[in-house]
Amino acid sequence: MIQQAGQGLITGVSWALERVADWNLTEVITKPVHDYITAHAAGLPAGAEAIWSVWTLTGPILWLICWLTKSWGARLAWVLYGAGTVAMVYSASPAAGQLLAAGVAVLYWAALSVFALRGIGRRPAVHVHSAPDVTGVEEQRNSRWR
């Protein structure tokens, strides 16, 4: 039963990711990033496709680590990943649509960050218990000896 539930979850997530990837609005981000990586990978030991694969895997993995562990290191990496993605989208988009494309990338990243960065700002409750009145205790002790 647990195995069937796991398979159903995997099937559902795969289906959702395929729909998001096919959505034209997603291409506003993925196409410029792919173009940027392809244009700037010349001369690097890893090819453009390897770098593209690492970029596409890094985002979901970082998001999942942030969501599950609330690790500050992973959250910092998530913020840097988002900033780098927005910079690549802005740089590789057509001049007339650079700001709009970067805005779409920021909206995507912000929506995902609601879950990745959840819990930030919540401080643990600190209870400070006052010490007993020392002068009252001292006076009681002195009154017994008088």
Side-chain angles (χ1 to χ4, degrees), residues 93-101:
S93 293
Q98 283 180 324
L99 289 176
L100 182 59

Side-chain angles (χ1 to χ4, degrees), residues 80-137:
L80 295 174
Y81 177 84
T85 299
V86 171
M88 287 189 282
V89 167
Y90 180 82
S91 177
S93 293
Q98 283 180 324
L99 289 176
L100 182 59
V104 169
V106 167
L107 287 176
Y108 261 55
W109 182 82
L112 290 170
S113 293
V114 167
F115 300 101
L117 304 177
R118 79 187 196 297
I120 291 179
R122 294 183 186 165
R123 306 262 187 237
V126 177
H127 301 284
V128 178
H129 300 283
S130 59
D133 186 16
V134 179
T135 58
V137 172

Side-chain angles (χ1 to χ4, degrees), residues 34-104:
H34 188 269
D35 293 347
Y36 182 89
I37 290 171
T38 302
H40 291 87
L44 295 177
E49 288 307 310
I51 296 170
W52 166 252
S53 295
V54 168
W55 180 83
T56 57
L57 288 174
T58 300
I61 290 170
L62 278 175
W63 182 85
L64 193 61
I65 291 171
C66 289
W67 185 60
L68 293 175
T69 67
K70 297 182 183 179
S71 161
W72 282 102
R75 287 174 171 180
L76 176 61
W78 174 254
V79 168
L80 295 174
Y81 177 84
T85 299
V86 171
M88 287 189 282
V89 167
Y90 180 82
S91 177
S93 293
Q98 283 180 324
L99 289 176
L100 182 59
V104 169

